[in-house]
Amino acid sequence: MDVMRLFALDCYPQTDGKPSVVMIVAAETEAAAVRTAFDHPNAASYEAIALNPKQKVRRADGLSPGVHGFVEWRAFKRLIGKA
């Protein structure tokens, strides 16, 4: 079994717009994180979901796979020090 990792996925309400929220997903791979994100009921609200380009993929030891929450995009930007 691979190591569980934490991914930050940008959620775009319009494909040509800016992301509105960041979905936090624990998964073994980026592909698994994107599949999990699109399976979430809130995914219907977004035209696109993509890996946040500024995120650092971190180990998520002890977390179960799945969506662990949503963060408003501007708040996430501050958390990673880009605001």
Side-chain angles (χ1 to χ4, degrees):
M1 183 169 142
D2 288 336
V3 173
M4 193 63 57
R5 302 203 182 279
L6 201 58
F7 295 89
L9 303 173
D10 289 337
C11 299
Y12 297 85
Q14 300 170 340
T15 52
D16 58 350
K18 293 183 178 180
S20 59
V21 298
V22 176
M23 184 185 299
I24 307 301
V25 179
E28 292 179 350
T29 65
E30 180 182 335
V34 171
R35 279 193 306 275
T36 299
F38 276 109
D39 287 342
H40 191 276
N42 287 5
S45 303
Y46 307 109
E47 294 291 321
I49 297 173
L51 185 68
N52 182 287
K54 295 180 174 93
Q55 82 138 24
K56 293 178 183 171
V57 176
R58 301 177 196 272
R59 287 178 61 134
D61 297 335
L63 282 181
S64 58
V67 176
H68 286 271
F70 292 83
V71 178
E72 199 273 338
W73 198 84
R74 290 176 296 180
F76 177 76
K77 206 170 158 184
R78 287 202 182 265
L79 283 172
I80 61 171
K82 301 295 181 188

